[in-house]
Amino acid sequence: MGMTFWIAVLPLLSFLIAGLGVFFGIDSLKRRSHYFGLLAVGLSLFLSVELLFEVMKGKVISESWFTWLVSGGLSASFGGYVDSLTAVMLVVVNFVSFFVHLYSVGYMAEDPSYDRFFAYLGLFTFSMLVLVLSPNFLQLFFGWEAVGLSSYLLIGFWFKRKRAADAAIKAFIMNRVGDFLFILGVAAVFWLFGSLEFGEVFAKASKASAGALSLIGLLLLGGAVGKSAQFPLHTWLADAMEGPTPISALIHAATMVAAGVFMVARCWPIYDGSYILPIVGVIGVITAFGAATIGLTQFDIKRVLAYSTLSQLGYMFAALGAGAYVFAMFHLFTHAFFKALLFLGSGSVIHAMSGEQDIRRMGGLFKYMKITGTTFIIGTLALVGIPPLAGFFSKDKIIFSTYANGHFVWWFFLTLGALLTALYMGRLVFLVFFGRERFGERERKHLHESPAVMTVPLIVLSIPSIFAGFLEGWFTEFLKKSVPNHLHHTSHSLEITLAAVTVSLALLGLFVAALFYYWNKISPEVITENPFIRPLYTLVYNKYYFDELYYYLFVRGVGFGLGKLSSLFDRFVIDGIVNGLAFITRGLGEAVRLTQTGVVNAYALYFALGLILVIAIIWLV
């Protein structure tokens, strides 16, 4: 077996070892389960970096581990395919996963299910690695579903809490909607091309009709919308915050939600030949802008970051819709670092605040947590897109690509989204780390900086959050070997002008946030209580009532409808069959009873008639 096999299997081995400890209750493994995860993911990261250097030399690595399925005309192998796109994803997934493992040693130290957590973490990492290494659609679907299963287990990790259990079920069911469409897309691929291997399918895609490719692309997009929590299948991601914070970092930064973006980029020959790229872009713009507005109204520190992820994923989908596949992946690349940093930073805050997540009950934490505060601010500035931090380069390229390719409405809302991002992230930073302390003496006595095992990952992740954007030139040229970047030629001065507009709006957003929440020059309560603004605020605060809509349409609506149908089925079909059989039996009994007269002459007549009937049958035969 080659390197790709061990890159994927090492985290699986950590899952199996830790899982055996959980299953058999081996106490000696319980508090040591993190060693297996750190060693496995660390080795996988080392091999991924080595593989990256091999691919940088111009190699494309294809390995077959074993033949998975042979049935009729369908043949699929399990293996590893590594081009520039996969090589980058392998490093990102393993890099973030390694530091999430390390951070979790401190964050989960007191949890009674410590070993189970690290077992699930290994399974999650393995699932994503299998997904990105896929050489065919069948293995891609396996990894796709394995990531969904892992997320279900980790979101509902504290399953004794009803909210966590409900959030896990919600994520699982909403992803099943997208996955149903995805598997139909995979079936359509085989029906049209007679193969599921990427190489064969993409080679034939240029000869297929645009209509057929559009159908396949639309079905696959359904899976991407569910997995990457895009409108209208976006509501599960905010509730996924009920899982442990390190898992939030991993889901939002490098696994699961990134899978949809990766899949569309991998299938670019299908999308380029179809009519549906504008649909991809519109979905992205709606999600980017809508999630940013919701982020302005939330008070749970993790929910604000969750809607931030939704919004940034929307930017990536907008880039895909504009045909700028490389820029979408570049933003995925930089976003992984600063979003992991922000979620782990929020975990550090929650840890110090004894589990408190409401930002209205925080304030002034910077003087108690300087490392957490500094790294969180770095992550915020990267997310907002302030130069020269990483998010500026990647997000600016997406906004520019929409304008350059003629999608001016998209550009407008994405640019306005940059203002909203700065506003809600500035609000978060000022309410959490600055201003007056809004907690009691008990919390103040407990406040402390997190241990080194938690702060070291924050420091390390802050480095690429600052400098990863400078890899733009290398990243663009490297990824162009695997995916295209359709960009209409424009002047350099136009790009600089558009970037200046975006940065100016981001700075304006931070300034307005400071007026509201740092200098307290304007009261947000006065504005939100305005009779003209209050209805809009209520609408956004309640997340546009999508949860309520889905509840009445699909939970209560379908449940009520199915209840009525089952009642009618039970009454007229089940009861009808039972009662009908009873009626027939009773009728036959009544008919037979009439023959039992007790008269010998009548019985002799019956006998004679029966004998005549038998003779007639024999004669006719």
Side-chain angles (χ1 to χ4, degrees), residues 507-524:
L507 292 172
L508 175 63
L510 292 175
F511 176 74
V512 173
L515 286 176
F516 275 98
Y517 303 104
Y518 183 67
W519 294 310
N520 298 314
K521 298 295 183 181
I522 309 172
S523 171

Side-chain angles (χ1 to χ4, degrees), residues 279-577:
I279 298 175
V280 178
V282 168
I283 288 172
V285 172
I286 291 173
T287 307
F289 185 77
T293 60
I294 297 173
L296 286 168
T297 64
Q298 301 303 300
F299 296 103
D300 185 307
I301 185 172
K302 290 173 65 177
R303 282 184 179 270
V304 175
L305 295 177
Y307 282 106
S308 164
T309 299
L310 280 171
S311 183
Q312 298 308 304
L313 287 166
Y315 277 87
M316 298 175 207
F317 271 76
L320 294 171
Y325 300 99
V326 173
F327 292 158
M329 292 304 301
F330 186 45
H331 195 49
L332 186 154
F333 172 70
T334 61
H335 177 264
F337 301 121
F338 57 73
K339 186 49 61 70
L341 172 60
L342 287 169
F343 266 107
L344 296 184
S346 72
S348 182
V349 169
I350 295 167
H351 182 264
M353 291 290 294
S354 303
E356 181 60 66
Q357 296 183 201
D358 192 329
I359 59 178
R360 293 170 294 186
R361 299 174 184 172
M362 299 180 186
L365 296 184
F366 189 83
K367 62 184 177 183
Y368 301 100
M369 311 176 70
K370 286 186 170 55
I371 296 176
T372 297
T374 301
T375 54
F376 197 94
I377 291 170
I378 290 172
T380 296
L381 294 177
L383 172 62
V384 169
I386 302 300
L389 279 77
F392 162 73
F393 293 93
S394 57
K395 189 158 68 172
D396 176 68
K397 285 296 182 184
I398 289 175
I399 295 174
F400 169 68
S401 67
T402 59
Y403 190 95
N405 288 348
H407 301 290
F408 303 120
V409 175
W410 299 6
W411 169 82
F412 174 79
F413 282 103
L414 294 180
T415 304
L416 192 57
L419 169 66
L420 297 178
T421 302
L423 192 54
Y424 69 70
M425 287 305 298
R427 168 180 176 263
L428 182 62
V429 168
F430 293 132
L431 284 177
V432 173
F433 293 103
F434 300 101
R436 64 182 181 86
E437 298 174 1
R438 295 179 298 279
F439 46 85
E441 189 62 32
R442 183 179 65 86
E443 288 82 2
R444 185 178 292 105
K445 289 180 179 178
H446 182 265
L447 274 175
H448 60 279
E449 183 59 271
S450 297
V453 73
M454 293 172 65
T455 55
V456 167
L458 299 180
I459 295 169
V460 173
L461 286 166
S462 67
I463 295 172
S465 297
I466 297 172
F467 298 109
F470 293 107
L471 297 174
E472 177 197 332
W474 168 83
F475 189 96
T476 302
E477 291 304 316
F478 183 56
L479 233 68
K480 278 183 179 179
K481 299 175 183 178
S482 301
V483 294
N485 215 35
H486 305 304
L487 198 65
H488 295 165
H489 179 72
T490 55
S491 65
H492 188 59
S493 60
L494 174 62
E495 183 175 358
I496 293 175
T497 302
L498 294 176
V501 171
T502 305
V503 173
S504 299
L505 288 174
L507 292 172
L508 175 63
L510 292 175
F511 176 74
V512 173
L515 286 176
F516 275 98
Y517 303 104
Y518 183 67
W519 294 310
N520 298 314
K521 298 295 183 181
I522 309 172
S523 171
E525 288 78 13
V526 171
I527 292 179
T528 56
E529 291 300 329
N530 184 288
F532 296 103
I533 296 177
R534 187 66 186 176
L536 179 61
Y537 175 81
T538 303
L539 177 67
V540 177
Y541 176 76
N542 288 286
K543 297 157 283 189
Y544 298 100
Y545 293 100
F546 271 98
D547 283 319
E548 290 78 5
L549 176 65
Y550 290 162
Y551 175 78
Y552 281 106
L553 283 179
F554 301 111
V555 180
R556 187 170 180 178
V558 172
F560 178 79
L562 289 177
K564 286 293 184 184
L565 286 175
S566 63
S567 176
L568 293 172
F569 183 81
D570 183 66
R571 182 178 177 184
F572 292 104
V573 179
I574 304 298
D575 287 352
I577 292 173

Side-chain angles (χ1 to χ4, degrees), residues 51-173:
L51 212 57
L52 174 65
F53 284 119
E54 291 294 317
V55 176
M56 286 172 63
K57 296 175 184 177
K59 295 182 180 180
V60 174
I61 297 162
S62 181
E63 296 176 352
S64 179
W65 305 338
F66 57 87
T67 300
W68 183 18
L69 178 65
V70 177
S71 177
L74 175 60
S75 176
S77 61
F78 225 86
Y81 176 79
V82 184
D83 58 1
S84 57
L85 177 63
T86 303
V88 168
M89 287 296 296
L90 289 176
V91 173
V92 170
V93 171
N94 278 311
F95 183 85
V96 173
S97 179
F98 178 80
F99 286 102
V100 167
H101 273 77
L102 181 61
Y103 178 94
S104 299
V105 174
Y107 190 86
M108 301 296 292
E110 303 301 322
D111 196 283
S113 298
Y114 185 82
D115 47 352
R116 180 165 60 90
F117 176 83
F118 279 94
Y120 289 169
L121 209 54
L123 179 63
F124 205 160
T125 306
F126 160 75
S127 302
M128 190 64 188
L129 292 173
V130 166
L131 188 154
V132 300
L133 283 166
S134 302
N136 55 61
F137 280 96
L138 205 55
Q139 183 177 326
L140 178 68
F141 183 70
F142 173 86
W144 197 267
E145 292 301 297
V147 168
L149 171 64
S150 305
S151 67
Y152 168 77
L153 295 173
L154 283 164
I155 293 169
F157 180 77
W158 290 315
F159 56 86
K160 292 184 180 179
R161 302 178 184 177
K162 186 179 185 304
R163 289 176 61 180
D166 289 346
I169 293 171
K170 183 178 182 179
F172 189 80
I173 291 175

